[in-house]
């Protein structure tokens, strides 16, 4: 998945080969730590609705929605840091 690299960078992983082996897009075990980091990111200046999307996706147990919400959150977070 193309956004696994984005997620790996957000999680502080070594990028050059790590994201090719990652399973953020298909594994709750990989994605839930990312969700947790998103939920507890201090000073997030983006839309609170993004956090609502993260919560709703977990409540609905929809990994595809959670993956999309995480990617959207990270993009917003990265834009806010520039």
């Amino acid at each position: 998945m193309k956004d696994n690299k984005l997620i790996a960078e957000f999680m502080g992983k070594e990028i050059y080969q790590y994201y090719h082996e990652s399973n953020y897009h298909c594994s709750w075990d990989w994605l839930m730590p990312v969700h947790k980091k998103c939920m507890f990111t201090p000073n997030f200046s983006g839309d609170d609705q993004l956090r609502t999307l993260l919560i709703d996706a977990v409540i609905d147990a929809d990994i595809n929605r959670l993956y999309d919400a995480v990617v959207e959150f990270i993009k917003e977070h990265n834009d806010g840091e520039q």
Side-chain angles (χ1 to χ4, degrees), residues 35 38-39 50-58 66 69-70 73:
H35 173 266
C38 291
M39 293 303 297
L50 289 174
R51 286 199 167 122
T52 301
L53 291 174
L54 292 166
I55 293 167
D56 289 347
V58 170
L66 181 58
V70 161
F73 180 93

Side-chain angles (χ1 to χ4, degrees), residues 23-70:
N23 290 313
Y24 296 112
H25 61 287
C26 63
S27 171
W28 287 104
D29 291 337
W30 282 72
L31 197 53
M32 287 308 293
V34 184
H35 173 266
K36 183 177 179 180
K37 185 172 181 178
C38 291
M39 293 303 297
F40 294 104
T41 297
N43 303 323
F44 176 66
S45 60
D47 188 353
D48 283 337
Q49 206 167 31
L50 289 174
R51 286 199 167 122
T52 301
L53 291 174
L54 292 166
I55 293 167
D56 289 347
V58 170
I59 290 170
D60 293 341
D62 187 332
I63 195 166
N64 294 319
R65 277 183 49 209
L66 181 58
Y67 182 85
D68 292 342
V70 161

